């Protein structure tokens, strides 16, 4: 698999490409499946639908890797927090976790309740071309904890930060419980057929450096260390969004570092290029304009060159109204311009 070869810095005929949120609302085919489900949770839990959606970008865009269609909040949901996806609002928990008693009340071994996730991975892997990789994923402990504490996405992270500095023992207890679940959850994804794993720390940039290292990165280190000990041949990708200023301080046992579009790729290459394969980081909005997209691709490939050890991706997820024709062209363009 060209994607897996690139993760391990092995020679590839061109730079592999896939896109975050490549299965989603910009595809008519996704919308057609989505209309069959009564809500988003049902869509994720239906193995047939989730398999179909996961495979759509492979069939339509011809990307080099499929990523499981799922959601990072399914694990906290399985741990006992009622979850809904509200129109125009997004995901929100109907209960929050703000006391030690509430942390202790969360279900242990919740990963065992997510059999539909593993079944979807097995289903996708059975239908996926053997040359295409399948990526499983989860949220990082800090990002999941903020959702569980706040109840939904936040601009200020008021409750999370208040607890972090005034009652750190509660936050650590929650992070420890999440870390234990995530190690088991991601291991089960590998056993179900995932060829690589990605950890999304979407709210990493909400914290100052010292706090992020203690409440964010330390727990990612625990997860990657446990996974590499058990599954040394499965590449791990870590995507901590908004931490461009912290790059020199980030070290752990994984292969690929995902760069968001706010992190200059040349800087990431200089600081991390010897430590990790880099993945990224085209600004998604460039896909609105063919000219802007072509310019962005040229800049990224000029920065990274044609040496092994780079994966082309967006610097965040696909936007809902991007022209699909531009997404198709992007894949072709990257292949053409990076061919060895």
């Amino acid at each position: 698999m060209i994607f897996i070869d690139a993760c391990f810095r092995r020679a590839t005929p061109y730079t592999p490409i896939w896109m975050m949120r490549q299965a989603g609302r910009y595809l008519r085919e996704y919308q057609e499946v989505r209309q069959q489900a009564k809500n988003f949770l049902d869509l994720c839990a239906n193995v047939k639908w989730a398999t179909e959606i996961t495979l759509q970008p492979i069939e339509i865009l011809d990307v080099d890797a499929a990523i499981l269609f799922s959601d990072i909040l399914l694990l906290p949901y399985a741990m006992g927090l009622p979850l809904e996806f509200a129109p125009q609002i997004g995901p929100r928990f109907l209960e929050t976790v703000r006391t030690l008693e509430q942390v202790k009340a969360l279900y242990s071994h919740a990963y065992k309740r997510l059999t539909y996730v593993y079944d979807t991975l097995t289903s996708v892997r059975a239908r996926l071309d053997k040359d295409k990789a399948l990526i499983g994923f989860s949220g990082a402990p800090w990002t999941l904890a903020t959702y569980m504490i706040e109840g939904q996405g936040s601009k200020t992270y008021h409750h999370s930060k208040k607890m972090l500095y005034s009652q750190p023992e509660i936050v650590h207890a929650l992070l420890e419980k999440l870390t234990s679940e995530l190690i088991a959850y991601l291991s089960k994804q590998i056993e179900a057929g995932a060829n690589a794993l990605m950890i999304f720390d979407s709210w990493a940039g909400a914290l100052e450096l010292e706090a992020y290292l203690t409440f964010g990165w330390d727990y990612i280190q625990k997860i990657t260390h446990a996974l590499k000990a058990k599954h040394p041949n499965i590449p791990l990708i870590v995507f901590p969004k908004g931490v461009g200023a912290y790059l020199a301080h980030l070290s752990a046992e994984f292969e690929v570092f995902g760069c968001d579009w706010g992190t200059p790729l040349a800087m990431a290459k200089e600081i991390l290029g010897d430590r990790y394969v880099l993945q990224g980081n085209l600004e998604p909005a460039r896909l609105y304009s063919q000219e802007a997209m072509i310019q962005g691709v040229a800049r990224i490939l000029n920065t990274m060159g044609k040496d092994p050890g780079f994966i082309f991706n967006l610097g965040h997820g696909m936007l809902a109204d991007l022209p699909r024709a531009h997404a198709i062209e992007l894949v072709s363009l990257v292949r053409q311009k990076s061919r060895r």
Side-chain angles (χ1 to χ4, degrees), residues 1 3-4 7 17-20 22 54 58 63-70 117 121 124-125 128 132-138 186 189-190 193-200 234-237 279 311 313:
M1 297 175 191
F3 173 82
I4 301 300
C7 290
I17 175 173
W18 69 282
M19 288 171 268
M20 290 181 278
Q22 63 188 14
T54 300
I58 296 289
V63 285
D64 293 294
I67 186 165
L68 168 71
F69 178 75
S70 187
V117 171
L121 283 162
V124 172
R125 187 62 267 174
L128 196 58
K132 305 288 189 181
L134 175 56
I135 304 168
F137 73 90
S138 75
L186 290 167
Q189 290 190 35
I190 293 170
N195 306 115
L197 296 173
M198 186 160 174
I199 299 171
F200 289 88
I234 299 295
L236 305 179
I237 310 163
Q279 175 179 278
I311 297 164
N313 206 309

Side-chain angles (χ1 to χ4, degrees), residues 1-13:
M1 297 175 191
I2 185 172
F3 173 82
I4 301 300
D5 285 342
C7 290
F8 288 117
R9 219 183 286 268
R10 296 192 285 257
T12 58

Side-chain angles (χ1 to χ4, degrees), residues 57-212:
I58 296 289
E59 297 160 353
I60 297 165
L61 308 180
D62 192 32
V63 285
D64 293 294
I67 186 165
L68 168 71
F69 178 75
S70 187
D71 195 274
I72 64 171
L73 299 185
L74 294 184
L75 182 66
Y77 176 55
M79 293 172 78
L81 285 189
L83 174 65
E84 69 173 15
F85 286 79
Q88 278 72 58
I89 296 176
R92 62 183 177 189
F93 289 110
L94 305 182
E95 299 173 9
T96 56
V97 178
R98 296 180 186 171
T99 67
L100 203 53
E101 290 69 29
Q102 289 173 322
V103 174
K104 291 176 179 177
L106 293 167
Y107 297 137
S108 296
H109 307 295
Y111 70 92
K112 294 181 179 179
R113 308 175 76 183
L114 292 167
T115 53
Y116 57 87
V117 171
Y118 316 132
D119 290 345
T120 299
L121 283 162
T122 301
S123 171
V124 172
R125 187 62 267 174
R127 289 178 53 184
L128 196 58
D129 188 291
K130 63 179 182 358
D131 295 329
K132 305 288 189 181
L134 175 56
I135 304 168
F137 73 90
S138 75
W142 163 248
T143 289
L144 295 182
T146 61
Y147 273 108
M148 297 167 80
I149 294 167
E150 302 291 338
Q152 61 189 67
S154 172
K155 292 183 179 179
T156 63
Y157 309 94
H158 170 75
H159 298 289
S160 305
K161 289 189 175 187
K162 182 179 179 180
M163 286 174 60
L164 185 150
Y165 291 112
S166 64
Q167 297 176 297
E169 68 282 358
I170 299 176
V171 180
H172 278 302
L174 177 56
L175 292 168
E176 288 285 358
K177 195 158 193 171
L178 283 166
T179 296
S180 176
E181 292 289 340
L182 285 166
I183 291 168
Y185 180 48
L186 290 167
S187 291
K188 291 286 284 185
Q189 290 190 35
I190 293 170
E191 293 166 11
N195 306 115
L197 296 173
M198 186 160 174
I199 299 171
F200 289 88
D201 209 353
S202 305
W203 308 137
L207 295 177
E208 62 180 352
L209 174 60
E210 181 183 358
Y212 182 61

